[in-house]
Amino acid sequence: MAPDEAVDPEDDAAAVPDDRPAVPEITRRRLTPYLTGDRGYAWSWLPTLLVVLVAGLLRTVGLATPKGKIFDETYYATEAHGLLTYGVEWNFDENKAAYVVHPPLGKWLIAVGERLFGYDEFGWRIAAAAAGTLSVLLLVRVARRMLRSTVLGCLAGLLLALDGFHLVLSRSALLDIFLGLFLLAAFAALVRDRDARRARWLAALERGADRPEPAVRAWLLLAAGLLGAATAVKWSGLFFAPAFALLVVWWDAGARRSAGQDRPWRRALVRDGLVWLPWCVAAVAGVYLLAWSGWLLTDDGYFRHWLAQQGRPEPPLWGALQNLWHYHSEALRFHSGLTSHHTYQSWPWQWLLLGRPVAFYWSGDAACGASNCAAEVLLLGTPVLWWAFLPALAATTWLGVARRDWRAGAILVGVAAGMLPWFYYAVQGRTMFAFYALPAEPFLVLALCYALGAWVGPRPAGAPGTRRAVAIGAVAAYTLLVAACFAWYYPLYVGTSIPYDDWQLRMLLGNRWI
């Protein structure tokens, strides 16, 4: 069992006299988390499941359309089939191991669908649909916990369910939806760890102790494992590692300060951070290496016996790890030099403005009842939703500073982790695409719901005032507007053939969307 507290000679004994004063009400209020025992918890699952049902139907109905492999399904669906057949990604044209530059976990998940439902469109897309649906479920619950409102939690999930950007990635065998799912799950686990930690501090104070008894921080270790899973889908999952570490230290320091301890930041760093850092690193690394088990346990993987091919000794375990390290160094060299032009590439400052969507599929041959038809799968966020993200971020920043609200800070840290690293790579001229923003999207939706919730305000003790009633009506109208906008663009999200004039009418930004 991992220790929870390091011994500090400056501390007094943990036990205090029984006549210690009761815990002050302000301390109790600050340390009392929003746990699952609230009165509305059981009821909240009904609207949650309704939202998830909507998300699931949108992501699975007609999933086998369009036919064939669209966009990067050419790579990932085929590589998943190779994992099933050989244990490693495979070049079927040349009948040898394929050289790939992304870790295998996302492709293993695609392979599960292929194994269960066959090597066809539904089979290689169903895992992405399941991941997208689970993302909606997670967002509802974490938003409810953070925003302390079942309505706002369900609103967050519904907005994500009705976003075309998220929908397209949930209906395509690409890796980003799995990356986003694991990162959102890791964040949700960290929020639970924060609540559990504060609850333990409050319980310790109530029984007259100076600090909680040592205990395993299961939610923290789970978050680390999920971060390892995200990294095993795409290396960009590591962008969130320093962000999540900052949140943990910040929240631990806040709990210690609320409990009345002096030097809360120092103690949070030394007692919490340094004690748990090795365990978290081990969890990340362990899950990441486990995802490479097919490559490690077979002899067919690319670079699997690189040392032997160089005429160098290759010890059974250490040699395999050295070969894996060489594989990673070559893959990193590829990513660092990826600057070739692509028709649908875009820059991070364009993403929230929907400056350059990605066409996953196009056909002008499908019948639609008109002389000229168009069928497209376009990775385009629901415009009414995405164009609200920038003002929502501004409002969240303002409210977070004015209220010193940890929730606003956590949301902004998540957005920064998902967006800012790409600005650095943009300066270097690296080729990138709009779907790189997928991990940031749940945090953008949280920012929007946080801002809307602050505008509506808390429920009053008496009858709601006119201002609050108007605000509630405006939020409801905005939600309906998002739904209507989503319905208008829905044919472009699922590849439905429509008259060419109708398709052209939807291209609001002209050639930028074509």
Side-chain angles (χ1 to χ4, degrees):
M1 178 179 295
D4 186 55
E5 302 286 350
V7 176
D8 189 336
E10 297 179 2
D11 279 352
D12 297 325
V16 295
D18 292 337
D19 59 353
R20 177 169 178 161
V23 179
E25 183 58 32
I26 187 171
T27 300
R28 184 182 301 278
R29 186 168 63 252
R30 288 174 176 173
L31 289 175
T32 300
Y34 191 60
L35 295 175
T36 55
D38 60 287
R39 290 180 298 174
Y41 175 74
W43 173 87
S44 71
W45 278 100
L46 177 59
T48 295
L49 294 177
L50 289 175
V51 171
V52 173
L53 177 62
V54 170
L57 290 174
L58 289 171
R59 281 150 180 77
T60 54
V61 172
L63 187 61
T65 303
K67 295 299 181 181
K69 294 172 182 175
I70 63 174
F71 198 59
D72 281 352
E73 287 184 344
T74 302
Y75 304 109
Y76 303 130
T78 305
E79 291 165 7
H81 185 54
L83 288 171
L84 277 180
T85 308
Y86 297 97
V88 296
E89 296 89 342
W90 200 256
N91 186 329
F92 289 93
D93 293 332
E94 301 179 11
N95 195 30
K96 65 178 185 180
Y99 174 59
V100 298
V101 294
H102 289 302
L105 181 55
K107 289 164 282 187
W108 274 118
L109 294 174
I110 294 172
V112 172
E114 294 178 351
R115 177 66 179 85
L116 294 175
F117 299 98
Y119 186 47
D120 55 22
E121 292 83 1
F122 187 88
W124 62 63
R125 292 172 188 161
I126 186 60
T133 304
L134 286 174
S135 299
V136 172
L137 172 62
L138 280 172
L139 185 60
V140 171
R141 303 313 294 180
V142 76
R144 179 183 184 272
R145 178 171 287 269
M146 292 179 65
L147 304 181
R148 304 193 175 193
S149 167
T150 297
V151 173
L152 289 177
C154 290
L155 175 62
L158 184 61
L159 293 178
L160 189 65
L162 297 179
D163 175 48
F165 185 87
H166 195 269
L167 179 72
V168 171
L169 289 173
S170 299
R171 294 173 60 92
S172 308
L174 272 67
L175 303 181
D176 301 85
I177 196 67
F178 305 111
L179 173 67
L181 171 65
F182 286 129
L183 289 172
L184 177 59
F187 176 76
L190 289 181
V191 173
R192 288 299 303 267
D193 176 72
R194 177 188 184 274
D195 284 356
R197 186 72 170 160
R198 297 176 80 86
R200 291 186 63 246
W201 271 104
L202 179 58
L205 295 179
E206 287 177 336
R207 67 173 181 266
D210 282 342
R211 58 177 181 257
E213 294 292 333
V216 173
R217 295 177 69 171
W219 287 109
L220 179 60
L221 292 177
L222 175 60
L226 289 165
L227 180 60
T231 308
V233 174
K234 275 190 169 183
W235 287 351
S236 54
L238 278 180
F239 292 162
F240 282 77
F244 286 168
L246 172 63
L247 290 180
V248 171
V249 174
W250 174 28
W251 292 343
D252 283 347
R256 290 180 176 275
R257 183 172 54 248
S258 296
Q261 288 210 336
D262 59 343
R263 299 188 299 278
W265 278 96
R266 174 179 175 272
R267 293 171 185 255
L269 281 169
V270 174
R271 295 183 170 188
D272 300 321
L274 294 183
V275 168
W276 283 98
L277 179 62
W279 294 91
C280 291
V281 171
V284 172
V287 171
Y288 183 80
L289 284 175
L290 184 62
W292 284 89
S293 57
W295 188 92
L296 290 167
L297 297 177
T298 63
D299 294 319
D300 298 322
Y302 203 91
F303 286 137
R304 176 61 184 85
H305 292 291
W306 175 76
L307 285 175
Q309 292 165 0
Q310 303 300 310
R312 298 165 58 184
E314 189 177 284
L317 178 60
W318 179 242
L321 293 178
Q322 284 182 287
N323 291 334
L324 186 60
W325 179 264
H326 176 73
Y327 194 130
H328 281 63
S329 65
E330 291 298 313
L332 180 60
R333 183 177 294 109
F334 170 85
H335 285 298
S336 301
L338 188 60
T339 58
S340 58
H341 175 75
H342 192 285
T343 302
Y344 291 107
Q345 72 180 61
S346 58
W347 303 112
W349 47 85
Q350 296 177 289
W351 294 345
L352 297 188
L353 301 175
L354 303 179
R356 188 53 172 156
V358 182
F360 279 20
Y361 168 83
W362 168 267
S363 174
D365 299 329
C368 66
S371 56
N372 293 318
C373 302
E376 183 177 26
V377 174
L378 185 65
L379 183 65
L380 174 71
T382 303
V384 173
L385 176 63
W386 277 70
W387 289 338
F389 285 156
L390 281 176
L393 288 174
T396 300
T397 303
W398 172 265
L399 291 167
V401 172
R403 298 178 173 183
R404 301 179 64 182
D405 193 337
W406 70 272
R407 300 171 299 174
I411 292 168
L412 294 172
V413 166
V415 173
M419 296 289 293
L420 292 185
W422 297 113
F423 283 82
Y424 167 76
Y425 288 109
V427 173
Q428 297 181 329
R430 188 191 188 281
T431 307
M432 57 189 68
F433 301 90
F435 50 79
Y436 291 3
L438 189 278
E441 184 178 7
F443 299 97
L444 292 166
V445 173
L446 279 174
L448 179 58
C449 292
Y450 175 82
L452 291 175
W455 182 36
V456 171
R459 179 181 299 175
T466 302
R467 188 209 65 80
R468 190 170 188 271
V470 170
I472 291 174
V475 171
Y478 172 73
T479 305
L480 291 175
L481 185 60
V482 170
C485 186
F486 172 81
W488 172 248
Y489 280 97
Y490 181 76
L492 273 62
Y493 298 145
V494 298
T496 301
S497 184
I498 58 176
Y500 184 84
D501 290 341
D502 290 348
W503 172 84
Q504 189 74 43
L505 190 62
R506 289 166 169 81
M507 299 294 107
L508 292 182
L509 297 189
N511 289 336
R512 289 183 176 274
W513 285 11
I514 296 175

